[in-house]
Amino acid sequence: MELPVIDLAPYLAIADAGNRGSESTKRVSGLTELCHEVSRLLKETGALLVKDPRCTAEDNDRFIDMMEKYFEKPAEFKRLQEQGVEVPRSLVDEEMQEKLRAMPKEHQPLTPKGPDPKWRYMWRVGPRPSKTRFQELNSEPVIPEGFPEWKETMDSWGYKMISAIEAVAEMAAIGFGLPKDAFTSLMKQGPHLLAPTGSDLKRYGQEGTIFAGYHYDLNFLTIHGRSRFPGLNIWLRNGQKIEVKVPIGCLLIQTGKQIEWLTAGECTAGMHEVVITKRTINAIKLASEQNRSLWRVSSTLFAHIASDAVLKPLGHFAESPLASKYPSICTGEFVEQELS
């Protein structure tokens, strides 16, 4: 199965026309169907491929070029930016391990043996609240030396990906029968993080190597630009595992735990892993022949609900039979619980 690509251009054109006060009802009815398709895909697959005219393949390339140069620097240099070690949840969560063993063999994820062998850099995107109970969720990043273009490139790509998420969040809200700004109003001043990862394919280039063990994301929605090396597997709602192919110029969006909370489980946090597959090996061979970088960069951005906002089922989702599984909680507290 391949995920369909949703073109955001028609929605953006209408949203823009709406802001100027000239909506055409005929075009809007077609858009409602598009919004239903967005909410259906998020619900059934936990993932969405989108094409946003504001986020070009050139933007993605510029960002990845810079991050490849950064990740190629020595380990001591990268440690100055306080890279953390990430342990996949499936390594420590016994309940999750039990579920994995019960899966059909062909849909089981690979089992990690330890922390993920990847580097990650975190860059905050967008304004933060002047007053918050969750200061370190909103803290300032460290800029590496020798990259004069760093801030501009990070902010430019980060803001563009946030804009794509906001459009999808509005469309999903309409598709779910909620007010258009049901999700986006809660995202204002959220601790959004552009958090690219770097995986060294020269050192870890064997098929079956796990760069990110089976896990879900704790945030609202996660968005990635296209990586130069494939290897992302996702699990659909029905338990089927598929390797994602992101077309050039497209973005991948995945559901996180916060949208699961807000929809009382109508959407569930999408499970995924990043591993070296046969397609990755072919891409490594081609990159070696063309003398290109062998660092796999993922331009991941985690879009969050604001730390001081309340996380609870919205609108009609509050009447869902599953709503009691999702009690009201301050988002910052929820994030701290998940991280612990």
Side-chain angles (χ1 to χ4, degrees), residues 170-204:
E170 286 184 357
M171 293 171 82
I174 294 166
F176 282 130
L178 297 169
K180 183 176 103 168
D181 67 347
F183 299 129
T184 51
S185 59
L186 296 172
M187 287 172 65
K188 283 191 174 65
Q189 298 192 332
H192 312 310
L193 280 177
L194 178 52
T197 61
S199 306
D200 186 352
L201 300 174
K202 224 182 250 170
R203 188 174 167 191
Y204 302 104

Side-chain angles (χ1 to χ4, degrees), residues 23 52 87 89 114 145 201 248 256 259 295 319 332-333 337:
E23 267 180 297
D52 185 327
V87 178
R89 198 179 188 110
E145 269 180 44
L201 300 174
I248 290 172
I259 193 172
W295 276 86
E319 310 304 316
E333 278 170 38
Q337 278 178 21

Side-chain angles (χ1 to χ4, degrees), residues 11-78:
Y11 178 79
L12 296 171
I14 280 285
D16 189 44
N19 291 339
R20 296 196 310 269
S22 58
E23 267 180 297
S24 133
T25 20
K26 198 169 168 193
R27 277 163 74 205
V28 171
S29 64
L31 272 192
T32 309
E33 284 158 35
L34 194 61
C35 293
H36 281 300
E37 181 64 357
V38 165
S39 59
R40 183 188 71 78
L41 285 165
L42 289 176
K43 176 185 168 179
E44 291 175 14
T45 68
L48 193 62
L49 287 171
V50 299
K51 192 165 178 51
D52 185 327
R54 302 166 299 181
C55 303
T56 65
E58 291 73 32
D59 292 326
N60 191 34
D61 283 341
R62 179 175 165 229
F63 179 82
I64 289 184
D65 287 346
M66 183 180 80
M67 291 315 299
E68 283 176 349
K69 283 191 202 114
Y70 169 74
F71 286 123
E72 277 160 6
K73 294 278 188 195
E76 310 73 70
F77 177 86
K78 289 179 291 210

Side-chain angles (χ1 to χ4, degrees), residues 235-248:
W235 277 258
L236 305 182
R237 187 91 180 236
N238 64 8
Q240 185 190 348
K241 171 184 178 176
I242 62 170
E243 189 177 354
V244 179
K245 299 181 176 85
V246 180
I248 290 172

Side-chain angles (χ1 to χ4, degrees), residues 9-314:
Y11 178 79
L12 296 171
I14 280 285
D16 189 44
N19 291 339
R20 296 196 310 269
S22 58
E23 267 180 297
S24 133
T25 20
K26 198 169 168 193
R27 277 163 74 205
V28 171
S29 64
L31 272 192
T32 309
E33 284 158 35
L34 194 61
C35 293
H36 281 300
E37 181 64 357
V38 165
S39 59
R40 183 188 71 78
L41 285 165
L42 289 176
K43 176 185 168 179
E44 291 175 14
T45 68
L48 193 62
L49 287 171
V50 299
K51 192 165 178 51
D52 185 327
R54 302 166 299 181
C55 303
T56 65
E58 291 73 32
D59 292 326
N60 191 34
D61 283 341
R62 179 175 165 229
F63 179 82
I64 289 184
D65 287 346
M66 183 180 80
M67 291 315 299
E68 283 176 349
K69 283 191 202 114
Y70 169 74
F71 286 123
E72 277 160 6
K73 294 278 188 195
E76 310 73 70
F77 177 86
K78 289 179 291 210
R79 282 198 193 99
L80 298 173
Q81 282 75 240
E82 296 183 14
Q83 303 288 335
V85 170
E86 295 179 29
V87 178
R89 198 179 188 110
S90 52
L91 196 65
V92 291
D93 186 328
E94 285 175 15
E95 195 183 325
M96 192 183 274
Q97 287 167 4
E98 235 168 81
K99 280 183 187 159
L100 300 190
R101 285 192 290 270
M103 283 179 173
K105 261 278 180 274
E106 69 274 20
H107 296 312
Q108 282 181 7
L110 296 183
T111 310
K113 305 284 185 281
D116 294 336
K118 65 175 189 280
W119 292 85
R120 191 187 288 280
Y121 176 87
M122 303 257 192
W123 179 264
R124 48 183 273 184
V125 179
R128 293 299 197 254
S130 49
K131 280 187 184 159
T132 175
R133 287 164 50 202
F134 305 96
Q135 209 53 58
E136 83 280 12
L137 294 180
N138 297 277
S139 59
E140 290 286 354
V142 181
I143 297 180
E145 269 180 44
F147 288 86
E149 75 280 31
W150 192 266
K151 185 179 184 329
E152 199 276 322
T153 306
M154 283 280 174
D155 283 343
S156 164
W157 188 229
Y159 275 105
K160 285 181 179 194
M161 290 208 291
I162 284 277
S163 301
I165 287 251
E166 287 172 342
V168 166
E170 286 184 357
M171 293 171 82
I174 294 166
F176 282 130
L178 297 169
K180 183 176 103 168
D181 67 347
F183 299 129
T184 51
S185 59
L186 296 172
M187 287 172 65
K188 283 191 174 65
Q189 298 192 332
H192 312 310
L193 280 177
L194 178 52
T197 61
S199 306
D200 186 352
L201 300 174
K202 224 182 250 170
R203 188 174 167 191
Y204 302 104
Q206 300 74 37
E207 192 177 340
T209 300
I210 304 167
F211 285 125
Y214 181 80
H215 68 289
Y216 64 76
D217 294 337
L218 62 82
N219 53 299
F220 172 61
L221 290 172
T222 301
I223 185 167
H224 315 261
R226 183 177 187 270
S227 174
R228 287 174 178 163
F229 297 92
L232 175 70
N233 292 323
I234 66 167
W235 277 258
L236 305 182
R237 187 91 180 236
N238 64 8
Q240 185 190 348
K241 171 184 178 176
I242 62 170
E243 189 177 354
V244 179
K245 299 181 176 85
V246 180
I248 290 172
C250 291
L251 301 158
L252 172 71
I253 291 176
Q254 290 172 283
T255 50
K257 204 71 182 169
Q258 291 170 7
I259 193 172
E260 180 176 329
W261 218 268
L262 297 169
T263 61
E266 183 83 0
C267 286
T268 53
M271 304 304 298
H272 50 283
E273 69 178 1
V274 178
V275 295
I276 292 195
T277 64
K278 285 187 171 59
R279 285 179 64 233
T280 323
I281 299 287
N282 293 337
I284 292 171
K285 278 185 193 147
L286 185 62
S288 301
E289 286 161 15
Q290 295 175 348
N291 213 13
R292 288 190 284 108
S293 172
L294 290 181
W295 276 86
R296 181 190 190 277
V297 173
S298 149
S299 59
T300 306
L301 184 140
F302 300 113
H304 279 262
I305 298 302
S307 304
D308 298 277
V310 174
L311 214 49
K312 63 177 182 184
L314 298 176

